[in-house]
């Protein structure tokens, strides 16, 4: 079974702190994604990566950065956390090919910034 | 620009009845894939069904079917014989081949199955 794991289910941080959210997948997927999910807004793409050391901005990259040093790991970084970054963060991975290559999701990290 | 539109924030259905969740999409690319995911209250995203833009037949997976109307750019999910465990958020998504397999998600529909 494909497994996507995220380092924390719940996280509480203070404004201004640097926050690292880690995501690891074990199926050798090329593509990895970071979303945030807010009520009424669905899933919004922050960043994605289709290869090691490659990254592409999604719809809401401001205030975030990412790192992909190894194929299986995709990290989301909040350089200076703010209260408006309180949200559920979902990581996903998929194969880089046409067809039924659905995204596999991690369990999510619920981040609260105080 | 909104690429996936789900116009029903909330839906109710009687147990054992069928329900249709609406999804329209917007793209001029000829190659794309359409997906539906279920998100129960526990939070995990569960893949339900896929439809490719070149597929001639509507996709079916058990009690789920996708009513694909290409000319109308709609990809509605039909759940037959609803069960209490179907109560969840449902998200429609589109993958565009020429954008590095990026996915676009709708805002979701909350389905409640009434006993």
């Amino acid at each position: 079974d494909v497994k996507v794991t995220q380092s924390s289910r719940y996280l509480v941080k203070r404004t201004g702190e640097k926050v690292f959210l880690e995501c690891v997948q074990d199926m050798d997927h090329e593509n990895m994604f970071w979303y945030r999910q807010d009520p009424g807004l669905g899933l919004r793409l922050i960043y994605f990566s289709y290869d090691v050391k490659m990254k592409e901005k999604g719809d809401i990259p401001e205030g975030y950065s990412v790192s992909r040093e190894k194929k299986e790991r995709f990290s989301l970084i909040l350089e200076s956390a703010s209260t408006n970054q309180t949200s559920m963060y979902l990581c996903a991975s998929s194969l880089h090919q046409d067809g039924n290559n659905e995204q596999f999701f991690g369990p999510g990290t619920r981040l609260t910034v105080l | 620009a909104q690429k996936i539109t789900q116009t029903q924030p909330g839906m109710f259905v009687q147990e054992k009845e069928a329900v249709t969740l609406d999804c329209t999409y917007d793209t001029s690319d000829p190659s794309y894939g359409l997906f539906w995911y279920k998100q129960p209250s526990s939070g995990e995203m569960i893949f339900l069904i896929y439809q490719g833009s070149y597929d001639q037949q509507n996709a079916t997976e058990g009690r789920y079917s996708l009513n694909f109307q290409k000319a109308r750019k709609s990809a509605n999910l039909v759940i037959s014989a609803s069960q209490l465990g179907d109560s969840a958020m449902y998200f429609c998504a589109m993958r565009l081949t020429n954008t590095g397999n990026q996915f676009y998600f709708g805002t979701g529909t909350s389905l409640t199955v009434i006993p």
Side-chain angles (χ1 to χ4, degrees):
Chain A
D1 280 351
V2 175
K3 195 151 187 187
V4 181
T5 57
Q6 296 183 227
S7 49
S8 306
R9 289 300 303 269
Y10 299 94
L11 208 53
V12 179
K13 295 292 181 181
R14 297 216 172 266
T15 301
E17 279 193 78
K18 190 168 187 176
V19 182
F20 292 88
L21 302 182
E22 304 285 339
C23 175
V24 178
Q25 50 93 6
D26 66 359
M27 283 302 290
D28 204 34
H29 284 173
E30 295 89 356
N31 297 340
M32 296 190 75
F33 306 81
W34 273 107
Y35 297 91
R36 65 176 283 175
Q37 183 179 9
D38 301 288
L41 297 178
L43 277 72
R44 293 181 292 167
L45 182 66
I46 305 171
Y47 269 97
F48 68 103
S49 168
Y50 53 88
D51 202 353
V52 176
K53 296 192 186 296
M54 304 298 289
K55 60 184 179 184
E56 295 284 342
K57 292 180 179 179
D59 298 319
I60 51 165
E62 297 78 19
Y64 304 95
S65 63
V66 290
S67 172
R68 192 158 181 209
E69 296 297 318
K70 293 184 178 181
K71 191 175 185 180
E72 67 270 19
R73 187 179 297 269
F74 192 35
S75 303
L76 180 70
I77 303 150
L78 287 67
E79 294 289 342
S80 178
S82 63
T83 55
N84 62 13
Q85 293 178 309
T86 292
S87 186
M88 169 71 89
Y89 290 87
L90 292 168
C91 175
S93 72
S94 71
L95 288 169
H96 190 85
Q97 65 184 37
D98 286 347
N100 186 5
N101 56 335
E102 79 265 24
Q103 290 192 341
F104 294 85
F105 284 83
T109 296
R110 188 166 293 281
L111 173 67
T112 302
V113 182
L114 303 175
Chain B
Q2 189 76 22
K3 292 190 183 291
I4 292 284
T5 302
Q6 295 180 255
T7 57
Q8 307 153 315
M11 290 278 287
F12 292 86
V13 64
Q14 204 75 39
E15 194 177 6
K16 300 179 185 174
E17 297 288 312
V19 63
T20 298
L21 306 184
D22 294 342
C23 173
T24 58
Y25 60 93
D26 181 25
T27 182
S28 56
D29 292 352
S31 178
Y32 52 90
L34 297 159
F35 300 77
W36 277 92
Y37 285 84
K38 172 184 178 181
Q39 187 181 43
S41 57
S42 54
E44 77 269 30
M45 294 284 281
I46 302 166
F47 165 70
L48 295 178
I49 196 167
Y50 163 83
Q51 180 85 42
S53 58
Y54 296 116
D55 294 345
Q56 297 296 315
Q57 306 267 12
N58 284 346
T60 59
E61 289 285 348
R63 294 186 299 110
Y64 304 108
S65 61
L66 201 152
N67 185 1
F68 181 45
Q69 299 190 41
K70 198 170 184 177
R72 294 185 179 183
K73 296 188 176 180
S74 74
N76 298 339
L77 177 70
V78 181
I79 305 174
S80 62
S82 297
Q83 302 172 355
L84 296 179
D86 294 335
S87 294
M89 283 291 288
Y90 289 82
F91 291 96
C92 180
M94 175 173 66
R95 174 183 49 78
L96 297 178
T97 309
N98 69 354
T99 59
N101 288 177
Q102 182 177 346
F103 276 60
Y104 299 89
F105 282 83
T107 52
T109 295
S110 176
L111 177 67
T112 302
V113 181
I114 304 166

